[in-house]
Amino acid sequence: MEQQRIRVAVVGAAGRMGREVLRAVGSDPSFEVVAAIDRTEIGSNTRDLAGALGPDLILEEHLEAALDRSKPDVTIEFSHQSVALDHARAATDRGVSFVFGMTGISESNLDEMRVLCERSGTPGMYVPNFAIGAVLMMHFAELAAKWLPDAEVIEFHHDRKEDAPSGTAMLTAQKIGLARIHAPTPLPKPLLKAEGARGGSVSAVPVHSVRLPGLLAHQEVIFGGPGETLTIRHDSLDRASFMQGVKLCARSVRNLHGLTIGLDKILF
Ligand code: NAD
């Protein structure tokens, strides 16, 4: 029997990630893209934005009207964290699950989304990093932290990234903090010749953020022990690196409960 295709609405469809989603989901026969929404490029054909692999749709402006018309199963959204809560409400009010990838969603907004998902019985996901390799990097860092409590994180991103440190760097440091058995070695208070030279501290892990044109999304987690170092590095070299994770979430979200945060919850 033919499997039913998952009906998807892409929000933030004119953006860099949105166009990649249009191509990835539009060219996968297990999905059907039924709506594309953005606040720019309204009225454009999505093939003009995403190329021939994209669906043949007209970009719409109003999310609620688009959901009412197209009746998707899932929204996939890479827009801006400031609209996440409103868009979660618009989706869950209609029994539509959401997969959000915009970074920097606040804890209080996540708490409210949790309530929306539970009250409506409509599952949703927030995934700060869809790259499978990045999720494995965090997993390996957790393992290493048990034996090597001294660690620093350096994350590298393109110069248009708004937030610092990245959500992935914050989460990596928090996971290291929780996984440590021993406290990190106390260091002498540094004489700083330039403010911020030792980075920001997250869960007692120094985190350094590099922003340069030419980069996409990269991170090193460096552990130091007596006479040895261990470096775990991940590089997203192309936005395609996020698409396997995006599709996995879009396929899985409706079988989850409430709000699920992070790709690790469905990988491990
Ligand atoms: P972008 O600026 O190229 O695209 C964002 C798009 O969202 C734009 O087209 C914009 O017009 C649209 N938009 C903004 N507000 C909107 C609204 N209210 N309604 C509809 N559309 C709206 O940015 P990008 O590089 O595509 O990144 C988007 C987000 O995704 C960022 O937060 C970025 O950090 C995040 N991101 C997450 C991952 C991940 O793995 N989770 C990976 C890469 C990027």
Side-chain angles (χ1 to χ4, degrees), residues 106-117:
S106 67
E107 283 301 324
S108 63
N109 277 356
L110 289 174
D111 286 344
E112 289 191 59
M113 281 181 208
R114 210 167 268 126
V115 174
L116 288 175
C117 289

Side-chain angles (χ1 to χ4, degrees), residues 11-19 37-41 60-61 63 77-83 87 100-104 126-131 157-158 160-163 168 216-217 236 239 242-243 246:
V11 188
R16 288 163 292 188
M17 287 297 288
R19 290 174 198 226
I37 299 105
D38 204 297
R39 57 179 187 182
T40 62
E41 304 282 356
E60 297 173 67
E61 183 177 11
L63 176 64
E77 175 155 355
F78 289 89
S79 62
H80 194 266
Q81 52 85 12
S82 57
V83 294
H87 288 190
F100 284 168
M102 51 283 209
T103 51
Y126 169 49
V127 178
N129 198 325
F130 283 101
H157 278 85
H158 58 87
R160 290 176 61 192
K161 183 165 177 61
E162 283 182 4
D163 52 326
T168 301
L216 183 57
S236 274
R239 290 190 171 82
F242 303 115
M243 294 303 122
V246 167

Side-chain angles (χ1 to χ4, degrees), residues 107-156:
E107 283 301 324
S108 63
N109 277 356
L110 289 174
D111 286 344
E112 289 191 59
M113 281 181 208
R114 210 167 268 126
V115 174
L116 288 175
C117 289
E118 264 150 36
R119 272 204 201 132
S120 65
T122 309
M125 286 193 83
Y126 169 49
V127 178
N129 198 325
F130 283 101
I132 304 232
V135 179
L136 289 171
M137 168 187 63
M138 287 188 263
H139 191 61
F140 299 151
E142 263 182 302
L143 285 181
K146 289 202 168 89
W147 303 104
L148 297 168
D150 295 315
E152 304 214 0
V153 174
I154 312 176
E155 54 98 342
F156 311 76

Side-chain angles (χ1 to χ4, degrees), residues 92 97-98 110 113-126 249 252-262 265-266:
T92 53
S97 285
F98 61 84
L110 289 174
M113 281 181 208
R114 210 167 268 126
V115 174
L116 288 175
C117 289
E118 264 150 36
R119 272 204 201 132
S120 65
T122 309
M125 286 193 83
Y126 169 49
C249 293
S252 313
V253 63
R254 289 174 306 153
N255 298 325
L256 302 171
H257 298 283
L259 178 71
T260 302
I261 300 177
K265 306 294 187 315
I266 51 177

